[in-house]
């Protein structure tokens, strides 16, 4: 009965938007880590909430399942460390930026559509406009740049910061930008004119993050390396809340997608704190303060100090770089410099064991209380790493190209016949060498040479059966040998006319001559197995001439010239990376700026 009651009480946060305390993620769900570990700089839930995207300092994208939290896939997205990533409001596009100042366009299936060089210095943050027609970047070159999304063209550059620009955000519904810099200043900008509207002062160190409240858009949250975070009211253009409690620098923060009063911060010491803006939660011995809204003079009232409603002081071992809420608001993901990604959720009603975990009281205290087994946790961690390695290996195998079917040597596109031996390594090497000789480019072997000129005496295929009267004369058919002089071609012409086949041209007499090549249109003996029928549309003229060109003859030189002119089969050009973007523009979703 308790299970049914608890299940009935665990509702999505959207079912009770007025109770933010029920959505505080105090319970550790899962820890995910890659086979080759790197610091996690960005974590982002996909728009539908089924997967979590993580971006590391190695330039890799990793997808984790949003239900089982296991590995799904990994890809090399950038050549340098990824510093920012954001989904568009329409959920159709993903933008990512790296240490080299490069910005890449991605579709939801992670097809890279466009690459632009936005800055020469690292890009620290990205933000989409409410209509997704533009986006803004913040870089270490102290500037903000606004780009047209459809064309990838820079429209304007916002200058005003005196040091590196570390954070930027676009208002969810208005034409308003906010940026934070290493010069301790927070600036609000008009994106149309590029003019700085106002400068918000209050922090005493580098601004780490600036984020508008996504639900109503009336509040602005900022955090800095002065161990504090501030909440500004855009209607009064002043700070109304000062968030304290961190012992180290605050590196990131995130608003809850449903509850306006719930804000989560991540510290440089690995701590994660949850604040309720309508509850001061002042510690014992500290005088509580009132909100400016409740004071007689709203403009001159002092800022209200708020302390965490819940603390996870040991959430990570090192700095927390990124936080991301699930779209439904019931799971929080965190990425840290300790190279792991952790998932947090709400405890069930009546569940208190999670508050004695090592993430709340530390490993030593939890081991003393018996709630943490260091040896068992190491074994579990090792098993988890092995499982992740196996999942990642399977994912990489799934991404490999399928193996090519064996083909008959010299006949591209025809599958191998059962019972025929596979070509040897020496034959493959010889074929590749001949192909490189024909094409003139290393590694481009296997090209099909140009067909020889059509013969004036075509050979009908298949050959008609010889008359029975001439079968007896075949036993006396002359054999050619290099050490023997060529036979009398007059007798040979009579015999070939009897067989209804064109007679070969006489070879120059003389000692040391090479064996006579077959006439044009006649297949050399031993090329095809007995009884092999050529496919429809393929005649003997499609086969390459005998390898006399390799000996330096005039005919070989002509064939080689023909192959170089256009006999090699080349790969068709790949489709442009902008093709998908052009298709979206044709559908009317994105239009270039006028």
């Amino acid at each position: 009965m308790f299970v049914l009651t608890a299940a009935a009480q665990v509702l999505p946060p959207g079912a009770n938007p007025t109770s933010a305390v029920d959505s505080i993620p105090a319970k550790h769900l899962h820890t995910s880590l890659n086979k080759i570990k790197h610091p996690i700089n960005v974590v982002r839930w996909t728009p539908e909430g089924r997967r979590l995207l993580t971006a590391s300092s190695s330039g890799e994208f990793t997808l984790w399942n949003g239900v089982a939290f296991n590995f799904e896939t990994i890809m090399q997205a950038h050549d340098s460390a990824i510093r920012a990533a954001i989904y568009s409001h329409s959920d159709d596009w993903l933008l990512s930026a790296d240490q080299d100042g490069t910005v890449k366009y991605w579709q939801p299936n992670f097809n890279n559509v466009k690459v632009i060089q936005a800055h020469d210095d690292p890009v620290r943050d990205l933000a989409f406009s409410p209509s997704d027609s533009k986006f803004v970047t913040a870089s270490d070159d102290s500037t903000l740049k606004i780009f047209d999304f459809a064309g990838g063209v820079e429209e304007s550059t916002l200058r005003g910061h005196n040091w590196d620009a570390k954070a930027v955000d676009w208002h969810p519904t208005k034409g308003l930008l906010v940026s934070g810099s290493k010069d301790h200043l927070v600036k609000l900008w008009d994106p149309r004119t590029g003019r700085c509207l106002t400068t918000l002062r209050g922090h005493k160190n580098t601004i780490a993050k600036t984020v508008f409240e996504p639900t109503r858009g009336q509040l602005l949250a900022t955090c800095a390396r002065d161990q504090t975070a501030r909440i500004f009211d855009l209607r009064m253009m002043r700070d109304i809340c000062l968030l304290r409690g961190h012992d180290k620098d605050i590196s990131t923060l995130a608003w809850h997608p449903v509850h306006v009063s719930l804000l989560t911060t991540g510290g440089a010491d690995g701590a994660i704190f949850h604040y309720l803006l309508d509850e001061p939660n002042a510690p014992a011995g500290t005088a509580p303060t009132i909100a400016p809204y409740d004071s007689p003079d709203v403009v001159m009232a002092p800022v209200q100090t708020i302390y965490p409603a819940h603390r996870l002081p040991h959430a990570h071992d090192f700095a927390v770089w990124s936080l991301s809420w699930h779209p439904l608001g019931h799971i929080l993901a965190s990425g840290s410099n300790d190279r792991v990604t952790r998932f947090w959720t709400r405890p069930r009603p009546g569940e208190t064991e999670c508050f004695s975990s090592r993430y709340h009281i530390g490993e030593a205290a939890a081991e003393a209380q018996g709630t943490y087994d260091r040896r068992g946790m190491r074994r579990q961690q090792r098993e988890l790493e092995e499982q992740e390695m196996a999942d990642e290996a399977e994912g990489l195998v799934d991404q490999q190209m399928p193996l090519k079917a064996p083909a008959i040597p010299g006949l591209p596109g025809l599958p191998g016949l059962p019972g025929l031996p596979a070509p040897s390594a020496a034959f493959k090497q010889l074929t590749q060498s001949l192909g490189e000789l024909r094409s003139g480019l290393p590694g481009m072997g296997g090209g099909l040479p140009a067909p020889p000129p059509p013969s004036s005496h075509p050979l009908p295929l298949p050959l008609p059966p010889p008359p029975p009267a001439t079968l007896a004369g075949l036993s006396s058919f002359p054999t050619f040998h290099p050490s023997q002089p060529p036979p009398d071609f007059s007798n040979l012409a009579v015999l070939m006319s009897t067989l209804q086949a064109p007679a070969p041209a006489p070879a120059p007499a003389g000692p040391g001559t090479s064996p006579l090549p077959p006439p044009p249109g006649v297949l050399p003996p031993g090329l095809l197995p007995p009884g092999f029928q050529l496919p429809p549309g393929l005649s003997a003229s499609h086969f390459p001439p005998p390898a006399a060109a390799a000996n330096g003859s005039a005919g070989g030189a002509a064939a080689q010239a023909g192959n170089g002119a256009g006999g090699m089969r080349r790969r068709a050009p790949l489709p442009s990376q902008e093709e998908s973007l052009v298709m979206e523009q044709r559908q009317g979703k994105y239009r270039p700026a006028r």
Side-chain angles (χ1 to χ4, degrees), residues 296-495:
D297 190 354
V298 179
V299 178
M300 301 302 298
V303 64
Q304 183 182 21
T305 303
I306 296 179
Y307 293 88
H310 183 266
R311 304 170 186 252
L312 283 166
H314 306 280
H316 286 273
D317 297 334
F318 297 101
V320 180
W321 292 133
S322 182
L323 296 169
S324 180
W325 283 96
H326 191 278
L328 296 180
H330 65 296
I331 298 177
L332 174 69
S334 59
S336 169
N337 201 41
D338 59 5
R339 305 177 296 179
V340 300
T341 303
R342 289 200 167 103
F343 299 85
W344 314 87
T345 188
R346 308 165 295 170
R348 294 181 177 274
E351 185 178 0
T352 59
E353 293 83 0
C354 62
F355 299 102
S356 301
S357 65
R358 68 185 183 98
Y359 305 106
H360 287 82
I361 61 178
E363 292 185 0
E367 191 173 9
Q369 292 186 5
T371 58
Y372 174 70
D373 182 8
R374 187 185 301 269
R375 185 173 302 176
M377 183 59 67
R378 289 178 179 175
R379 183 176 62 254
Q380 182 180 358
Q381 186 77 6
R382 185 167 57 252
E383 294 176 355
L384 178 62
E385 292 181 1
E386 294 176 355
Q387 181 64 33
E388 298 296 349
M389 290 175 61
D391 293 344
E392 186 168 341
E394 292 178 1
L396 294 178
V397 168
D398 293 341
Q399 296 178 13
Q400 292 179 356
M401 296 295 293
L403 298 177
K404 295 183 179 180
I408 300 177
L411 295 180
L414 292 181
L417 297 178
L420 291 181
S424 61
F427 181 83
K428 293 180 180 179
Q429 184 177 3
L430 177 60
T431 307
Q432 183 178 2
S433 302
L434 292 178
E436 294 178 358
L437 181 62
R438 298 189 188 106
S439 62
L441 297 176
M444 296 295 293
L448 185 64
S455 173
S456 58
H457 303 282
L459 177 66
L461 292 176
L463 292 175
T470 61
L471 293 179
L474 290 178
S475 58
S476 60
F477 193 86
T479 58
F480 305 136
H481 194 272
S483 61
Q484 297 179 1
D488 188 2
F489 281 95
S490 58
N491 298 334
L492 182 61
V494 174
L495 180 60

Side-chain angles (χ1 to χ4, degrees), residues 408 411 414-415 417 420 462 523 527-535 538 543:
I408 300 177
L411 295 180
L414 292 181
L417 297 178
L420 291 181
L523 297 179
L527 179 62
L528 297 179
F532 180 79
Q533 296 292 334
L534 291 175
L538 182 64
F543 289 91

Side-chain angles (χ1 to χ4, degrees), residues 208-209 223 246 249-254 264-268 320-323 335:
K209 196 72 175 176
C223 65
H246 279 276
D249 303 343
I250 301 179
S251 53
T252 186
L253 55 82
T264 302
T265 60
V320 180
W321 292 133
S322 182
L323 296 169

Side-chain angles (χ1 to χ4, degrees), residues 157-342:
T157 301
L158 310 183
R159 306 181 187 273
H161 284 291
N162 299 321
W163 215 342
D164 302 355
K166 295 295 186 181
V168 69
D169 194 19
W170 205 310
H171 195 276
T173 58
K174 304 181 183 301
L176 184 64
L177 293 176
V178 62
S179 63
S181 171
K182 202 174 180 179
D183 58 5
H184 312 172
L185 301 179
V186 176
K187 291 181 177 291
L188 295 174
W189 307 80
D190 183 358
R192 300 178 182 86
T193 62
R195 184 172 61 92
C196 178
L197 301 177
T198 186
T199 300
L200 305 177
R201 294 173 173 85
H203 288 289
K204 301 177 181 179
N205 210 322
T206 301
I207 309 297
K209 196 72 175 176
T210 58
V211 183
F212 286 110
E213 196 277 315
T215 305
R216 300 177 183 175
Q218 299 175 354
L219 302 179
L220 166 67
T222 64
C223 65
R225 294 181 180 176
D226 56 2
Q227 306 176 13
T228 64
R230 292 179 179 268
I231 308 299
F232 293 86
D233 193 326
L234 299 178
R235 296 168 294 183
M236 297 185 293
M237 286 297 175
R238 59 152 296 178
D239 50 349
I240 58 173
C241 296
L242 175 63
L243 310 184
R244 294 186 178 274
H246 279 276
D247 297 330
K248 297 292 182 180
D249 303 343
I250 301 179
S251 53
T252 186
L253 55 82
W255 289 96
H256 193 274
V258 177
H259 303 292
V260 181
S261 61
L262 180 56
L263 183 72
T264 302
T265 60
D269 55 353
I272 295 179
F273 290 174
H274 305 286
Y275 293 87
L276 295 176
L277 303 184
D278 51 1
E279 297 181 10
N281 293 303
T286 303
T289 57
I290 62 174
Y293 305 113
D294 300 331
S295 61
D297 190 354
V298 179
V299 178
M300 301 302 298
V303 64
Q304 183 182 21
T305 303
I306 296 179
Y307 293 88
H310 183 266
R311 304 170 186 252
L312 283 166
H314 306 280
H316 286 273
D317 297 334
F318 297 101
V320 180
W321 292 133
S322 182
L323 296 169
S324 180
W325 283 96
H326 191 278
L328 296 180
H330 65 296
I331 298 177
L332 174 69
S334 59
S336 169
N337 201 41
D338 59 5
R339 305 177 296 179
V340 300
T341 303
R342 289 200 167 103

Side-chain angles (χ1 to χ4, degrees), residues 26-223:
K27 179 182 177 181
H28 172 258
L29 265 182
H30 190 268
T31 297
S32 300
L33 66 162
N34 292 85
K35 178 176 64 174
I36 301 177
K37 306 177 187 63
H38 297 280
I40 306 300
N41 295 336
V42 182
V43 293
R44 289 288 181 270
W45 285 95
T46 55
E48 77 283 354
R50 295 182 179 179
R51 295 173 180 85
L52 178 74
L53 173 68
T54 63
S56 67
S57 60
S58 63
E60 294 176 333
F61 277 164
T62 305
L63 277 180
W64 305 93
N65 189 280
V67 178
F69 313 113
N70 60 312
F71 171 86
E72 285 201 357
T73 186
I74 187 172
M75 63 175 295
Q76 188 69 39
H78 287 261
D79 297 331
S80 59
I82 302 175
R83 295 300 180 187
I86 186 172
Y87 278 95
S88 62
H89 297 88
S90 63
D91 305 337
D92 293 333
W93 296 96
L94 169 70
L95 285 180
S96 62
D98 61 12
Q99 183 75 15
D100 297 334
T102 302
V103 176
K104 293 190 176 184
Y105 292 43
W106 304 88
Q107 290 179 322
N109 60 353
F110 295 97
N111 175 33
N112 185 208
V113 177
K114 183 188 283 292
V115 180
I116 62 175
Q117 188 66 36
H119 297 265
D120 294 332
D121 292 330
V123 176
R124 296 294 179 176
D125 208 355
L126 289 165
F128 266 106
S129 66
S131 61
D132 293 337
S133 61
K134 305 179 189 303
F135 67 91
V136 61
T137 60
S139 173
D140 282 354
D141 59 6
S142 74
T143 65
L144 309 177
K145 289 186 179 182
I146 299 177
F147 291 84
D148 175 62
F149 177 78
V153 181
E154 176 186 345
E155 291 189 346
S156 60
T157 301
L158 310 183
R159 306 181 187 273
H161 284 291
N162 299 321
W163 215 342
D164 302 355
K166 295 295 186 181
V168 69
D169 194 19
W170 205 310
H171 195 276
T173 58
K174 304 181 183 301
L176 184 64
L177 293 176
V178 62
S179 63
S181 171
K182 202 174 180 179
D183 58 5
H184 312 172
L185 301 179
V186 176
K187 291 181 177 291
L188 295 174
W189 307 80
D190 183 358
R192 300 178 182 86
T193 62
R195 184 172 61 92
C196 178
L197 301 177
T198 186
T199 300
L200 305 177
R201 294 173 173 85
H203 288 289
K204 301 177 181 179
N205 210 322
T206 301
I207 309 297
K209 196 72 175 176
T210 58
V211 183
F212 286 110
E213 196 277 315
T215 305
R216 300 177 183 175
Q218 299 175 354
L219 302 179
L220 166 67
T222 64
C223 65

